[in-house]
mmCIF file with all atom_site columns, all heavy atoms in Angstrom:
data_model
loop_
_atom_site.group_PDB
_atom_site.id
_atom_site.type_symbol
_atom_site.label_atom_id
_atom_site.label_alt_id
_atom_site.label_comp_id
_atom_site.label_asym_id
_atom_site.label_entity_id
_atom_site.label_seq_id
_atom_site.pdbx_PDB_ins_code
_atom_site.Cartn_x
_atom_site.Cartn_y
_atom_site.Cartn_z
_atom_site.occupancy
_atom_site.B_iso_or_equiv
_atom_site.pdbx_formal_charge
_atom_site.auth_seq_id
_atom_site.auth_comp_id
_atom_site.auth_asym_id
_atom_site.auth_atom_id
_atom_site.pdbx_PDB_model_num
ATOM 1   N N   . TYR A 1 22  ? -62.294 -45.961 43.285 1.00 96.00 ? 22  TYR A N   1
ATOM 2   C CA  . TYR A 1 22  ? -61.993 -44.708 43.982 1.00 96.00 ? 22  TYR A CA  1
ATOM 3   C C   . TYR A 1 22  ? -60.749 -44.035 43.394 1.00 96.00 ? 22  TYR A C   1
ATOM 4   O O   . TYR A 1 22  ? -60.729 -42.821 43.191 1.00 96.00 ? 22  TYR A O   1
ATOM 5   C CB  . TYR A 1 22  ? -61.805 -44.960 45.476 1.00 96.00 ? 22  TYR A CB  1
ATOM 6   C CG  . TYR A 1 22  ? -61.528 -43.703 46.267 1.00 96.00 ? 22  TYR A CG  1
ATOM 7   C CD1 . TYR A 1 22  ? -62.535 -42.789 46.522 1.00 96.00 ? 22  TYR A CD1 1
ATOM 8   C CD2 . TYR A 1 22  ? -60.254 -43.415 46.745 1.00 96.00 ? 22  TYR A CD2 1
ATOM 9   C CE1 . TYR A 1 22  ? -62.289 -41.630 47.232 1.00 96.00 ? 22  TYR A CE1 1
ATOM 10  C CE2 . TYR A 1 22  ? -59.990 -42.266 47.455 1.00 96.00 ? 22  TYR A CE2 1
ATOM 11  C CZ  . TYR A 1 22  ? -61.019 -41.374 47.701 1.00 96.00 ? 22  TYR A CZ  1
ATOM 12  O OH  . TYR A 1 22  ? -60.762 -40.221 48.404 1.00 96.00 ? 22  TYR A OH  1
ATOM 13  N N   . LEU A 1 39  ? -65.481 -39.509 47.131 1.00 94.00 ? 39  LEU A N   1
ATOM 14  C CA  . LEU A 1 39  ? -65.764 -40.372 48.268 1.00 94.00 ? 39  LEU A CA  1
ATOM 15  C C   . LEU A 1 39  ? -67.219 -40.843 48.293 1.00 94.00 ? 39  LEU A C   1
ATOM 16  O O   . LEU A 1 39  ? -67.489 -41.984 48.662 1.00 94.00 ? 39  LEU A O   1
ATOM 17  C CB  . LEU A 1 39  ? -65.427 -39.639 49.569 1.00 94.00 ? 39  LEU A CB  1
ATOM 18  C CG  . LEU A 1 39  ? -65.454 -40.459 50.841 1.00 94.00 ? 39  LEU A CG  1
ATOM 19  C CD1 . LEU A 1 39  ? -64.412 -41.564 50.766 1.00 94.00 ? 39  LEU A CD1 1
ATOM 20  C CD2 . LEU A 1 39  ? -65.202 -39.580 52.040 1.00 94.00 ? 39  LEU A CD2 1
ATOM 21  N N   . TYR A 1 42  ? -67.918 -43.829 46.009 1.00 97.00 ? 42  TYR A N   1
ATOM 22  C CA  . TYR A 1 42  ? -67.159 -44.966 46.534 1.00 97.00 ? 42  TYR A CA  1
ATOM 23  C C   . TYR A 1 42  ? -67.894 -45.596 47.723 1.00 97.00 ? 42  TYR A C   1
ATOM 24  O O   . TYR A 1 42  ? -68.072 -46.812 47.775 1.00 97.00 ? 42  TYR A O   1
ATOM 25  C CB  . TYR A 1 42  ? -65.748 -44.532 46.950 1.00 97.00 ? 42  TYR A CB  1
ATOM 26  C CG  . TYR A 1 42  ? -65.070 -45.547 47.828 1.00 97.00 ? 42  TYR A CG  1
ATOM 27  C CD1 . TYR A 1 42  ? -64.567 -46.725 47.287 1.00 97.00 ? 42  TYR A CD1 1
ATOM 28  C CD2 . TYR A 1 42  ? -64.968 -45.366 49.205 1.00 97.00 ? 42  TYR A CD2 1
ATOM 29  C CE1 . TYR A 1 42  ? -63.976 -47.683 48.093 1.00 97.00 ? 42  TYR A CE1 1
ATOM 30  C CE2 . TYR A 1 42  ? -64.377 -46.311 50.011 1.00 97.00 ? 42  TYR A CE2 1
ATOM 31  C CZ  . TYR A 1 42  ? -63.887 -47.468 49.448 1.00 97.00 ? 42  TYR A CZ  1
ATOM 32  O OH  . TYR A 1 42  ? -63.319 -48.416 50.245 1.00 97.00 ? 42  TYR A OH  1
ATOM 33  N N   . MET A 1 88  ? -52.232 -50.007 58.493 1.00 97.00 ? 88  MET A N   1
ATOM 34  C CA  . MET A 1 88  ? -52.829 -48.663 58.476 1.00 97.00 ? 88  MET A CA  1
ATOM 35  C C   . MET A 1 88  ? -51.872 -47.633 59.061 1.00 97.00 ? 88  MET A C   1
ATOM 36  O O   . MET A 1 88  ? -51.717 -46.541 58.525 1.00 97.00 ? 88  MET A O   1
ATOM 37  C CB  . MET A 1 88  ? -54.150 -48.674 59.250 1.00 97.00 ? 88  MET A CB  1
ATOM 38  C CG  . MET A 1 88  ? -54.829 -47.340 59.342 1.00 97.00 ? 88  MET A CG  1
ATOM 39  S SD  . MET A 1 88  ? -55.274 -46.719 57.717 1.00 97.00 ? 88  MET A SD  1
ATOM 40  C CE  . MET A 1 88  ? -55.302 -44.986 58.041 1.00 97.00 ? 88  MET A CE  1
ATOM 41  N N   . MET A 1 107 ? -54.722 -34.040 48.610 1.00 91.00 ? 107 MET A N   1
ATOM 42  C CA  . MET A 1 107 ? -54.073 -35.327 48.365 1.00 91.00 ? 107 MET A CA  1
ATOM 43  C C   . MET A 1 107 ? -53.823 -36.080 49.668 1.00 91.00 ? 107 MET A C   1
ATOM 44  O O   . MET A 1 107 ? -53.899 -37.316 49.688 1.00 91.00 ? 107 MET A O   1
ATOM 45  C CB  . MET A 1 107 ? -52.767 -35.148 47.589 1.00 91.00 ? 107 MET A CB  1
ATOM 46  C CG  . MET A 1 107 ? -52.978 -34.860 46.121 1.00 91.00 ? 107 MET A CG  1
ATOM 47  S SD  . MET A 1 107 ? -54.169 -35.957 45.291 1.00 91.00 ? 107 MET A SD  1
ATOM 48  C CE  . MET A 1 107 ? -53.373 -37.527 45.412 1.00 91.00 ? 107 MET A CE  1
ATOM 49  N N   . LEU A 1 108 ? -53.554 -35.369 50.757 1.00 93.00 ? 108 LEU A N   1
ATOM 50  C CA  . LEU A 1 108 ? -53.411 -36.033 52.053 1.00 93.00 ? 108 LEU A CA  1
ATOM 51  C C   . LEU A 1 108 ? -54.702 -36.764 52.403 1.00 93.00 ? 108 LEU A C   1
ATOM 52  O O   . LEU A 1 108 ? -54.678 -37.906 52.859 1.00 93.00 ? 108 LEU A O   1
ATOM 53  C CB  . LEU A 1 108 ? -53.047 -35.031 53.146 1.00 93.00 ? 108 LEU A CB  1
ATOM 54  C CG  . LEU A 1 108 ? -52.965 -35.596 54.566 1.00 93.00 ? 108 LEU A CG  1
ATOM 55  C CD1 . LEU A 1 108 ? -51.883 -36.664 54.658 1.00 93.00 ? 108 LEU A CD1 1
ATOM 56  C CD2 . LEU A 1 108 ? -52.711 -34.484 55.571 1.00 93.00 ? 108 LEU A CD2 1
ATOM 57  N N   . PHE A 1 109 ? -55.827 -36.122 52.158 1.00 94.00 ? 109 PHE A N   1
ATOM 58  C CA  . PHE A 1 109 ? -57.126 -36.754 52.396 1.00 94.00 ? 109 PHE A CA  1
ATOM 59  C C   . PHE A 1 109 ? -57.253 -38.039 51.579 1.00 94.00 ? 109 PHE A C   1
ATOM 60  O O   . PHE A 1 109 ? -57.617 -39.084 52.120 1.00 94.00 ? 109 PHE A O   1
ATOM 61  C CB  . PHE A 1 109 ? -58.248 -35.768 52.027 1.00 94.00 ? 109 PHE A CB  1
ATOM 62  C CG  . PHE A 1 109 ? -59.625 -36.338 52.179 1.00 94.00 ? 109 PHE A CG  1
ATOM 63  C CD1 . PHE A 1 109 ? -60.257 -36.324 53.409 1.00 94.00 ? 109 PHE A CD1 1
ATOM 64  C CD2 . PHE A 1 109 ? -60.292 -36.893 51.099 1.00 94.00 ? 109 PHE A CD2 1
ATOM 65  C CE1 . PHE A 1 109 ? -61.532 -36.856 53.560 1.00 94.00 ? 109 PHE A CE1 1
ATOM 66  C CE2 . PHE A 1 109 ? -61.562 -37.421 51.230 1.00 94.00 ? 109 PHE A CE2 1
ATOM 67  C CZ  . PHE A 1 109 ? -62.185 -37.404 52.469 1.00 94.00 ? 109 PHE A CZ  1
ATOM 68  N N   . HIS A 1 110 ? -56.937 -37.971 50.309 1.00 94.00 ? 110 HIS A N   1
ATOM 69  C CA  . HIS A 1 110 ? -57.050 -39.147 49.446 1.00 94.00 ? 110 HIS A CA  1
ATOM 70  C C   . HIS A 1 110 ? -56.045 -40.231 49.833 1.00 94.00 ? 110 HIS A C   1
ATOM 71  O O   . HIS A 1 110 ? -56.355 -41.424 49.746 1.00 94.00 ? 110 HIS A O   1
ATOM 72  C CB  . HIS A 1 110 ? -56.885 -38.757 47.973 1.00 94.00 ? 110 HIS A CB  1
ATOM 73  C CG  . HIS A 1 110 ? -57.973 -37.855 47.484 1.00 94.00 ? 110 HIS A CG  1
ATOM 74  N ND1 . HIS A 1 110 ? -59.305 -38.160 47.586 1.00 94.00 ? 110 HIS A ND1 1
ATOM 75  C CD2 . HIS A 1 110 ? -57.930 -36.644 46.883 1.00 94.00 ? 110 HIS A CD2 1
ATOM 76  C CE1 . HIS A 1 110 ? -60.044 -37.193 47.070 1.00 94.00 ? 110 HIS A CE1 1
ATOM 77  N NE2 . HIS A 1 110 ? -59.212 -36.250 46.644 1.00 94.00 ? 110 HIS A NE2 1
ATOM 78  N N   . TYR A 1 111 ? -54.842 -39.826 50.271 1.00 95.00 ? 111 TYR A N   1
ATOM 79  C CA  . TYR A 1 111 ? -53.861 -40.814 50.724 1.00 95.00 ? 111 TYR A CA  1
ATOM 80  C C   . TYR A 1 111 ? -54.379 -41.563 51.951 1.00 95.00 ? 111 TYR A C   1
ATOM 81  O O   . TYR A 1 111 ? -54.215 -42.779 52.061 1.00 95.00 ? 111 TYR A O   1
ATOM 82  C CB  . TYR A 1 111 ? -52.525 -40.153 51.078 1.00 95.00 ? 111 TYR A CB  1
ATOM 83  C CG  . TYR A 1 111 ? -51.742 -39.601 49.914 1.00 95.00 ? 111 TYR A CG  1
ATOM 84  C CD1 . TYR A 1 111 ? -50.880 -38.527 50.088 1.00 95.00 ? 111 TYR A CD1 1
ATOM 85  C CD2 . TYR A 1 111 ? -51.841 -40.146 48.648 1.00 95.00 ? 111 TYR A CD2 1
ATOM 86  C CE1 . TYR A 1 111 ? -50.140 -38.011 49.030 1.00 95.00 ? 111 TYR A CE1 1
ATOM 87  C CE2 . TYR A 1 111 ? -51.119 -39.637 47.585 1.00 95.00 ? 111 TYR A CE2 1
ATOM 88  C CZ  . TYR A 1 111 ? -50.272 -38.571 47.783 1.00 95.00 ? 111 TYR A CZ  1
ATOM 89  O OH  . TYR A 1 111 ? -49.550 -38.070 46.733 1.00 95.00 ? 111 TYR A OH  1
ATOM 90  N N   . ILE A 1 112 ? -54.983 -40.840 52.881 1.00 96.00 ? 112 ILE A N   1
ATOM 91  C CA  . ILE A 1 112 ? -55.493 -41.481 54.094 1.00 96.00 ? 112 ILE A CA  1
ATOM 92  C C   . ILE A 1 112 ? -56.664 -42.396 53.759 1.00 96.00 ? 112 ILE A C   1
ATOM 93  O O   . ILE A 1 112 ? -56.764 -43.515 54.286 1.00 96.00 ? 112 ILE A O   1
ATOM 94  C CB  . ILE A 1 112 ? -55.885 -40.428 55.151 1.00 96.00 ? 112 ILE A CB  1
ATOM 95  C CG1 . ILE A 1 112 ? -54.659 -39.655 55.635 1.00 96.00 ? 112 ILE A CG1 1
ATOM 96  C CG2 . ILE A 1 112 ? -56.628 -41.071 56.319 1.00 96.00 ? 112 ILE A CG2 1
ATOM 97  C CD1 . ILE A 1 112 ? -53.627 -40.498 56.365 1.00 96.00 ? 112 ILE A CD1 1
ATOM 98  N N   . ILE A 1 113 ? -57.558 -41.974 52.877 1.00 96.00 ? 113 ILE A N   1
ATOM 99  C CA  . ILE A 1 113 ? -58.657 -42.846 52.448 1.00 96.00 ? 113 ILE A CA  1
ATOM 100 C C   . ILE A 1 113 ? -58.087 -44.078 51.751 1.00 96.00 ? 113 ILE A C   1
ATOM 101 O O   . ILE A 1 113 ? -58.530 -45.207 51.992 1.00 96.00 ? 113 ILE A O   1
ATOM 102 C CB  . ILE A 1 113 ? -59.645 -42.098 51.531 1.00 96.00 ? 113 ILE A CB  1
ATOM 103 C CG1 . ILE A 1 113 ? -60.337 -40.953 52.291 1.00 96.00 ? 113 ILE A CG1 1
ATOM 104 C CG2 . ILE A 1 113 ? -60.684 -43.050 50.932 1.00 96.00 ? 113 ILE A CG2 1
ATOM 105 C CD1 . ILE A 1 113 ? -61.177 -41.393 53.460 1.00 96.00 ? 113 ILE A CD1 1
ATOM 106 N N   . GLY A 1 114 ? -57.089 -43.894 50.908 1.00 96.00 ? 114 GLY A N   1
ATOM 107 C CA  . GLY A 1 114 ? -56.431 -45.027 50.261 1.00 96.00 ? 114 GLY A CA  1
ATOM 108 C C   . GLY A 1 114 ? -55.793 -45.956 51.277 1.00 96.00 ? 114 GLY A C   1
ATOM 109 O O   . GLY A 1 114 ? -55.846 -47.183 51.130 1.00 96.00 ? 114 GLY A O   1
ATOM 110 N N   . ALA A 1 115 ? -55.199 -45.394 52.319 1.00 97.00 ? 115 ALA A N   1
ATOM 111 C CA  . ALA A 1 115 ? -54.601 -46.214 53.371 1.00 97.00 ? 115 ALA A CA  1
ATOM 112 C C   . ALA A 1 115 ? -55.667 -47.041 54.086 1.00 97.00 ? 115 ALA A C   1
ATOM 113 O O   . ALA A 1 115 ? -55.446 -48.217 54.407 1.00 97.00 ? 115 ALA A O   1
ATOM 114 C CB  . ALA A 1 115 ? -53.857 -45.332 54.366 1.00 97.00 ? 115 ALA A CB  1
ATOM 115 N N   . LEU A 1 116 ? -56.829 -46.450 54.323 1.00 97.00 ? 116 LEU A N   1
ATOM 116 C CA  . LEU A 1 116 ? -57.931 -47.192 54.935 1.00 97.00 ? 116 LEU A CA  1
ATOM 117 C C   . LEU A 1 116 ? -58.384 -48.345 54.047 1.00 97.00 ? 116 LEU A C   1
ATOM 118 O O   . LEU A 1 116 ? -58.641 -49.456 54.528 1.00 97.00 ? 116 LEU A O   1
ATOM 119 C CB  . LEU A 1 116 ? -59.111 -46.257 55.212 1.00 97.00 ? 116 LEU A CB  1
ATOM 120 C CG  . LEU A 1 116 ? -58.948 -45.276 56.362 1.00 97.00 ? 116 LEU A CG  1
ATOM 121 C CD1 . LEU A 1 116 ? -60.060 -44.229 56.321 1.00 97.00 ? 116 LEU A CD1 1
ATOM 122 C CD2 . LEU A 1 116 ? -58.980 -46.013 57.681 1.00 97.00 ? 116 LEU A CD2 1
ATOM 123 N N   . ILE A 1 117 ? -58.471 -48.090 52.756 1.00 97.00 ? 117 ILE A N   1
ATOM 124 C CA  . ILE A 1 117 ? -58.894 -49.124 51.810 1.00 97.00 ? 117 ILE A CA  1
ATOM 125 C C   . ILE A 1 117 ? -57.872 -50.260 51.782 1.00 97.00 ? 117 ILE A C   1
ATOM 126 O O   . ILE A 1 117 ? -58.239 -51.444 51.862 1.00 97.00 ? 117 ILE A O   1
ATOM 127 C CB  . ILE A 1 117 ? -59.097 -48.523 50.400 1.00 97.00 ? 117 ILE A CB  1
ATOM 128 C CG1 . ILE A 1 117 ? -60.275 -47.548 50.404 1.00 97.00 ? 117 ILE A CG1 1
ATOM 129 C CG2 . ILE A 1 117 ? -59.302 -49.625 49.359 1.00 97.00 ? 117 ILE A CG2 1
ATOM 130 C CD1 . ILE A 1 117 ? -60.368 -46.684 49.150 1.00 97.00 ? 117 ILE A CD1 1
ATOM 131 N N   . VAL A 1 118 ? -56.597 -49.917 51.683 1.00 97.00 ? 118 VAL A N   1
ATOM 132 C CA  . VAL A 1 118 ? -55.549 -50.942 51.632 1.00 97.00 ? 118 VAL A CA  1
ATOM 133 C C   . VAL A 1 118 ? -55.493 -51.725 52.950 1.00 97.00 ? 118 VAL A C   1
ATOM 134 O O   . VAL A 1 118 ? -55.333 -52.953 52.939 1.00 97.00 ? 118 VAL A O   1
ATOM 135 C CB  . VAL A 1 118 ? -54.178 -50.310 51.297 1.00 97.00 ? 118 VAL A CB  1
ATOM 136 C CG1 . VAL A 1 118 ? -53.049 -51.316 51.465 1.00 97.00 ? 118 VAL A CG1 1
ATOM 137 C CG2 . VAL A 1 118 ? -54.195 -49.749 49.888 1.00 97.00 ? 118 VAL A CG2 1
ATOM 138 N N   . ALA A 1 119 ? -55.653 -51.043 54.079 1.00 98.00 ? 119 ALA A N   1
ATOM 139 C CA  . ALA A 1 119 ? -55.635 -51.738 55.369 1.00 98.00 ? 119 ALA A CA  1
ATOM 140 C C   . ALA A 1 119 ? -56.806 -52.706 55.486 1.00 98.00 ? 119 ALA A C   1
ATOM 141 O O   . ALA A 1 119 ? -56.654 -53.818 56.005 1.00 98.00 ? 119 ALA A O   1
ATOM 142 C CB  . ALA A 1 119 ? -55.658 -50.728 56.508 1.00 98.00 ? 119 ALA A CB  1
#
Side-chain angles (χ1 to χ4, degrees):
Y22 182 74
L39 189 62
Y42 164 75
M88 178 62 205
M107 284 313 296
L108 176 62
F109 178 84
H110 296 305
Y111 291 152
I112 295 296
I113 296 298
L116 287 168
I117 294 168
V118 171

